[in-house]
Amino acid sequence: MAAMYRPDPANPAARRPRLVVVLLVAFFALQLLVFLAFRGAPSPSVPGGPVAHVPESPRRDGEDSGCVGGLVYVYDLPPVFNEDLLSLCDVLAPMYSLCPYLANDGLGFPAKGANLSEILPAELVGSWYSSDQFALEHIVHRRLLSHRCRTTDPALATAFFVPFYAGLAVGRHLWAANATDADRDRDCLALLSWLHAQPYYKRSNGWDHFIALGRITWDFRRSPDGGWGGSFLLMPGLANITRLVIERDPWDAMDIGIPYPTSFHPRTAADVRGWQRYASSRSRPKLFAFAGAPRSAIKGDFRGLLLEECQAAGNACGALDCGEGRCIKQNELVMQLFLGARFCLQPRGDSFTRRSLFDCMVAGAVPVLFWRRSAYRQYGWYVPVGNDQEGEWSVFIDRDELRTGNVTVRGVLAAIPEARVHQMSKRVVEMIPKLLYSAAGKEGLGDGMKDAVDVMIDGMVRRVAEQRQSWRRL
């Protein structure tokens, strides 16, 4: 109050200029005090038990690294939730050891097919690995640890990554004869118990957190009546966490579809462009190709129908039998098949999605889909979706029309004008970079090129920004 006290002067008219100066100084001093007071005030609390020392709004300090959308903090989990699971690689799958495929930070051993040098450009052979389709958790974790948009200070983070290898934790019990529902859920419950005690989880109740899952969403959605899989995604403590998963539930907005890992893991943009040129210049003598094994035990097996279509097309079609894990152990055979075809058939597999879709597109072939849930309702962050865009890079054939014999695969594909086929293939080749999980270091592929993890980070920080106002009001 002393600063605001001014006794009346004996001659107000004579002192009016001085009075104006005093008033202006007092006004600006008051503005400065208000600014400093608000800058130092603690953030308002969020219902649900936030910790007072945790900033409500993270500072945006990513400009220097090019991460203007925000930075990602990677939790340092107890090793029982990730590293220890890798040590069990010999017993994680029933038919073969995962050790060769989880080595090398999840990329697997370098590919060593007998005819690899005949299939791939010599300078790119070193970018191909024996990657397993379910190794995504390990691949994403290692990529984020060295990513330019990673921060080790959680106070600076926009989004928080939880590197729990849930697919390995649940998967090791999926085929075990004596495994119980409790076995499949034990690690997941322990992870949530640990996570819920973390101050940054409490601040948002999980809304700015995300996790990558290396198995399809249905492996984590066991029915209340029992049956296949774990129940991780149905646990209340996971309800607000974004799940990046190789196959999403189209009716769950917290599931985001991300690409299956392929065997191609380039280190630089130059490597990717070299591959794009190679894929674009390939002679493709086959009209279409199909890699897969029939499911004879399934009534009306659609894969069997496609194999019949392929046989009927003669030299216009190439087929590869993927029985007994052949396409996993010798993925170069899949790449060779798709590099020689203009189109590749992508029916549903054991579920609606398949790694083969991404092998196909990396090879520069145009995918042919029969279920919308195989891609269009899955990978919206990675492929153009919507009726006006899907035809740019894919062909959709009504499976019921095919079953009834009203159309044939060969007939539909042969009717597409050559110029149109060229444009579709060109569009697929353009999309290749963001379908890949690169082996790049901190700076990424370079030259402004983004891989699947870059797209993931962009999508996640954008998602957090869109949701922040909503979760603050909860």
Side-chain angles (χ1 to χ4, degrees):
M1 296 299 293
M4 300 298 294
Y5 174 74
R6 295 182 301 276
D8 292 334
N11 186 350
R15 296 183 178 257
R16 189 169 293 125
R18 183 179 178 183
L19 177 61
V20 171
V21 171
V22 171
L23 287 173
L24 286 173
V25 171
F27 173 79
F28 286 114
L30 180 60
Q31 293 289 91
L32 179 61
L33 287 173
V34 171
F35 171 77
L36 292 174
F38 273 90
R39 185 180 183 185
S43 299
S45 62
V46 176
V51 177
H53 70 271
V54 176
E56 180 64 30
S57 297
R59 300 190 300 276
R60 301 295 180 85
D61 288 359
E63 286 82 356
D64 291 343
S65 61
C67 305
V68 294
L71 302 175
V72 174
Y73 178 77
V74 180
Y75 278 107
D76 184 13
L77 296 184
V80 67
F81 296 121
N82 42 48
E83 296 295 336
D84 288 355
L85 290 166
L86 297 177
S87 68
L88 302 174
C89 57
D90 268 329
V91 296
L92 289 176
M95 295 176 289
Y96 55 91
S97 171
L98 287 182
C99 296
Y101 307 102
L102 294 177
N104 196 26
D105 290 344
L107 303 183
F109 289 153
K112 293 182 179 180
N115 60 340
L116 203 61
S117 59
E118 299 175 9
I119 302 170
L120 309 174
E123 67 275 16
L124 294 178
V125 169
S127 295
W128 292 80
Y129 297 81
S130 300
S131 302
D132 187 79
Q133 63 178 337
F134 298 134
L136 180 105
E137 294 152 351
H138 194 20
I139 292 173
V140 170
H141 183 197
R142 292 307 182 191
R143 178 90 168 86
L144 285 176
L145 283 177
S146 63
H147 201 279
R148 67 186 182 281
C149 294
R150 178 200 176 196
T151 176
T152 56
D153 183 353
L156 301 180
T158 296
F160 296 78
F161 178 63
V162 184
F164 172 41
Y165 299 173
L168 300 184
V170 173
R172 63 177 169 151
H173 298 296
L174 289 178
W175 294 274
N178 298 321
T180 65
D181 289 350
D183 293 330
R184 289 185 280 270
D185 290 343
R186 185 176 297 110
D187 291 334
C188 301
L189 289 168
L191 179 279
L192 290 177
S193 178
W194 183 91
L195 183 62
H196 291 177
Q198 306 308 306
Y200 286 88
Y201 176 90
K202 291 181 178 181
R203 183 189 67 183
S204 69
N205 202 26
W207 282 106
D208 50 3
H209 285 51
F210 68 106
I211 189 170
L213 300 177
R215 300 193 68 88
I216 63 174
T217 190
W218 313 108
D219 289 344
F220 305 99
R221 295 178 180 273
R222 185 180 65 246
S223 166
D225 299 326
W228 175 262
S231 62
F232 187 39
L233 296 187
L234 302 179
M235 293 177 181
L238 200 74
N240 299 334
I241 297 176
T242 297
R243 290 87 67 149
L244 305 173
V245 59
I246 53 178
E247 178 175 334
R248 67 180 291 261
D249 176 355
W251 297 279
D252 189 333
M254 302 308 291
D255 275 10
I256 301 293
I258 60 176
Y260 280 78
T262 67
S263 292
F264 185 35
H265 304 285
R267 297 185 181 277
T268 67
D271 289 343
V272 180
R273 293 194 179 104
W275 176 256
Q276 288 174 305
R277 288 192 295 270
Y278 179 72
S280 297
S281 65
R282 289 281 299 188
S283 171
R284 297 179 182 269
K286 303 292 185 183
L287 177 62
F288 63 102
F290 175 60
R295 295 288 191 268
S296 54
I298 300 176
K299 183 178 180 180
D301 174 34
F302 193 73
R303 290 192 189 190
L305 176 62
L306 293 182
L307 286 171
E308 292 174 4
E309 287 266 336
C310 189
Q311 291 170 358
N315 290 332
C317 178
L320 177 63
D321 187 345
C322 290
E324 299 181 354
R326 186 184 185 195
C327 294
I328 297 173
K329 299 172 184 176
Q330 295 178 280
N331 188 255
E332 68 275 7
L333 299 179
V334 177
M335 192 55 51
Q336 184 177 35
L337 176 72
F338 290 155
L339 281 168
R342 282 165 277 175
F343 298 92
C344 54
L345 308 187
Q346 296 299 326
R348 60 169 294 172
D350 295 326
S351 61
F352 286 95
T353 63
R354 304 172 75 212
R355 166 178 166 163
S356 179
L357 170 68
F358 299 98
D359 287 332
C360 161
M361 297 179 72
V362 167
V366 177
V368 180
L369 303 169
F370 307 90
W371 278 264
R372 297 192 62 80
R373 284 173 63 182
S374 292
Y376 307 144
R377 296 175 183 170
Q378 289 292 333
Y379 307 110
W381 284 6
Y382 295 89
V383 300
V385 294
N387 293 332
D388 58 335
Q389 300 183 80
E390 293 160 2
E392 296 176 2
W393 58 275
S394 67
V395 175
F396 185 81
I397 297 179
D398 187 321
R399 61 187 179 278
D400 292 329
E401 291 288 293
L402 194 62
R403 285 187 187 278
T404 57
N406 292 336
V407 299
T408 65
V409 171
R410 183 176 186 177
V412 171
L413 300 181
I416 301 175
E418 193 64 31
R420 175 69 176 157
V421 175
H422 176 74
Q423 282 299 113
M424 296 171 75
S425 180
K426 181 180 178 181
R427 185 71 178 97
V428 168
V429 170
E430 289 172 353
M431 294 162 58
I432 287 176
K434 62 183 181 180
L435 305 179
L436 302 170
Y437 295 94
S438 76
K442 183 176 181 179
E443 297 308 315
L445 291 168
D447 292 341
M449 183 178 286
K450 295 185 177 183
D451 76 341
V453 173
D454 295 320
V455 174
M456 175 191 303
I457 291 175
D458 288 349
M460 192 60 213
V461 297
R462 181 176 64 248
R463 182 176 171 89
V464 170
E466 292 169 352
Q467 294 180 150
R468 181 174 287 117
Q469 295 304 318
S470 298
W471 60 256
R472 281 182 182 172
R473 290 194 295 266
L474 294 177

